Amino acid sequence: MKRLTTIFILAICFGASANDISKINKLKKNAEIAFEHQQFDVAVSNYSYLLDTLQIYDEESIMNLGHAYYQLNQKDLAQAQYQKLVLSKNEGLKSVAYQQLGAMSNDPKTMEKAMSYFKESIKSDPGNLDARYNYELVKKRLKEQQDQNQDQKNDDQNNENQENKDEEKKDQENKENEDQQEGDQNKDQEKQDSEDQEQQNQENKEQEGENKDDQQQEGQDEKKEGEEEKQPEPKEGEEGEQNEKDKQQQPPSPSDKMQEMNISEEKAKMILEALKNSEIQYIQQNRRKPTKRKESDKPDW
């Protein structure tokens, strides 16, 4: 960064005394000497007194004051001085002011703004080689930054995609494990059900066997009872003979006896009636006979 050469102020001091002009030029000279000896705070003091206190408008002093602030790392104050010169009719000063604004914006976050300042500096003074060099340098860095951001964006996207894939894979593995566990549980349940069914079938078979044995025993008992109760049925000829024998063994009925004695039914009734009366008389006679007194000294038996 170069300090601008001393230009004594004469034109703006018409009407001012020779002492005032001498004082102004002396302040400016002292400021330039202090800047050359890197006494930037002294330079700031002299330029500020010249511009603010004496209210002298001098674009070269404004530029040098901005340079002094820049060297003191007071960039906000330096930027304010450079901003005063972007509308200057002096294209050389205007180009330097844009160049300095671009240099102060040469930050990864503000490189596009810096490139814009360098571009304006070149427009103001195409011969400003420093501005052109800085413009190409910032343009290259901006391109690298954009590529890097794109690569980072791609990496982030790839990482996100990979994370999604890993998450999907993990979910798939978890689902497979759950399905496997569920399948194993189902197999175990099916096996247990099968064993229970086999056991139940075996118990049913045993129960059926016991029931069958009981039924067979009952059938044998019933068969035995049936055989005991069952009598042989006589044949047709034998049945007639058996009936005849039964008839012969049965006692004759009163009707048969009357027929054998050749007595009529009326005569039989008269005989029965006479027998009945005789029996009544006999009973009555027995009731009238006195009973023999028992001896008291003998036992009753």
Side-chain angles (χ1 to χ4, degrees):
M1 180 185 302
K2 294 182 179 180
R3 175 187 56 82
L4 298 180
T5 57
T6 302
I7 299 176
F8 293 102
I9 303 172
L10 297 176
I12 62 174
C13 295
F14 294 127
S17 63
N19 291 332
D20 292 336
I21 295 172
S22 175
K23 185 178 180 180
I24 293 170
N25 288 332
K26 184 179 180 179
L27 285 171
K28 190 172 183 180
K29 179 65 176 179
N30 291 337
E32 291 173 356
I33 293 172
F35 192 93
E36 287 178 355
H37 289 83
Q38 297 184 358
Q39 297 174 352
F40 301 114
D41 52 344
V42 177
V44 167
S45 177
N46 285 278
Y47 282 127
S48 296
Y49 186 82
L50 176 67
L51 297 172
D52 298 333
T53 303
L54 298 179
Q55 294 184 353
I56 300 299
Y57 181 78
D58 180 48
E59 291 184 346
E60 291 181 358
S61 296
I62 295 173
M63 178 66 72
N64 290 334
L65 178 59
H67 292 339
Y69 279 132
Y70 184 82
Q71 293 298 328
L72 292 173
N73 201 29
Q74 298 179 12
K75 295 183 179 181
D76 291 340
L77 296 174
Q79 189 176 18
Q81 300 304 316
Y82 296 139
Q83 289 288 354
K84 294 177 182 180
L85 300 175
V86 295
L87 298 177
S88 175
K89 294 180 179 180
N90 187 331
E91 296 296 330
L93 292 176
K94 183 177 179 180
S95 177
V96 173
Y98 274 123
Q99 177 184 334
Q100 289 301 108
L101 291 172
M104 295 174 66
S105 302
N106 189 15
D107 184 86
K109 296 180 180 179
T110 57
M111 278 195 291
E112 292 183 357
K113 187 177 182 180
M115 190 170 67
S116 177
Y117 282 138
F118 289 133
K119 189 175 182 179
E120 291 297 327
S121 177
I122 295 171
K123 288 181 179 180
S124 299
D125 182 10
N128 189 341
L129 298 180
D130 291 339
R132 189 175 294 277
Y133 172 79
N134 289 333
Y135 174 80
E136 294 296 334
L137 181 62
V138 171
K139 182 179 180 180
K140 181 180 179 181
R141 288 179 179 177
L142 183 61
K143 180 66 167 58
E144 291 175 353
Q145 185 185 59
Q146 291 174 347
D147 293 341
Q148 185 177 1
N149 291 337
Q150 184 63 36
D151 293 339
Q152 183 66 35
K153 185 177 180 180
N154 293 335
D155 292 340
D156 293 341
Q157 185 65 36
N158 292 334
N159 292 334
E160 184 178 358
N161 293 336
Q162 185 63 37
E163 290 177 357
N164 292 334
K165 289 182 180 179
D166 294 339
E167 188 68 23
E168 291 177 358
K169 184 178 180 181
K170 186 176 180 180
D171 293 340
Q172 182 66 25
E173 290 177 354
N174 292 335
K175 187 175 184 303
E176 290 178 356
N177 292 333
E178 291 176 358
D179 293 341
Q180 181 66 30
Q181 292 177 357
E182 185 177 357
D184 294 339
Q185 292 177 355
N186 292 335
K187 288 181 180 179
D188 294 339
Q189 186 63 37
E190 290 177 357
K191 183 178 179 181
Q192 184 64 36
D193 293 341
S194 179
E195 292 177 355
D196 294 342
Q197 185 64 37
E198 290 179 0
Q199 184 177 359
Q200 185 65 34
N201 293 338
Q202 183 64 28
E203 292 176 357
N204 293 336
K205 288 182 179 179
E206 293 176 357
Q207 185 66 32
E208 290 177 358
E210 293 177 358
N211 294 336
K212 186 175 182 180
D213 293 339
D214 294 340
Q215 291 177 357
Q216 289 178 352
Q217 184 64 34
E218 291 177 358
Q220 291 176 358
D221 294 340
E222 292 177 355
K223 182 177 180 182
K224 185 176 180 180
E225 292 176 358
E227 290 177 351
E228 292 177 353
E229 294 177 355
K230 185 177 181 181
Q231 297 295 333
E233 296 180 358
K235 296 181 181 180
E236 294 180 357
E238 292 178 353
E239 184 178 359
E241 295 178 356
Q242 184 66 31
N243 292 333
E244 185 65 26
K245 290 179 180 181
D246 292 338
K247 289 180 180 180
Q248 293 177 358
Q249 291 177 0
Q250 291 179 356
S253 63
S255 177
D256 294 336
K257 288 181 178 182
M258 291 172 62
Q259 290 179 0
E260 290 178 359
M261 295 173 65
N262 195 15
I263 298 174
S264 64
E265 186 176 354
E266 292 179 357
K267 188 175 182 179
K269 288 180 178 182
M270 291 174 64
I271 294 171
L272 289 175
E273 185 68 25
L275 289 174
K276 184 176 181 181
N277 292 330
S278 296
E279 184 177 1
I280 292 171
Q281 291 176 1
Y282 176 76
I283 292 171
Q284 289 176 353
Q285 288 175 2
N286 287 334
R287 287 178 179 176
R288 293 191 185 123
K289 289 179 180 182
T291 58
K292 187 177 182 179
R293 183 182 182 90
K294 294 181 181 181
E295 297 179 0
S296 60
D297 57 348
K298 293 182 180 180
D300 295 337
W301 64 85

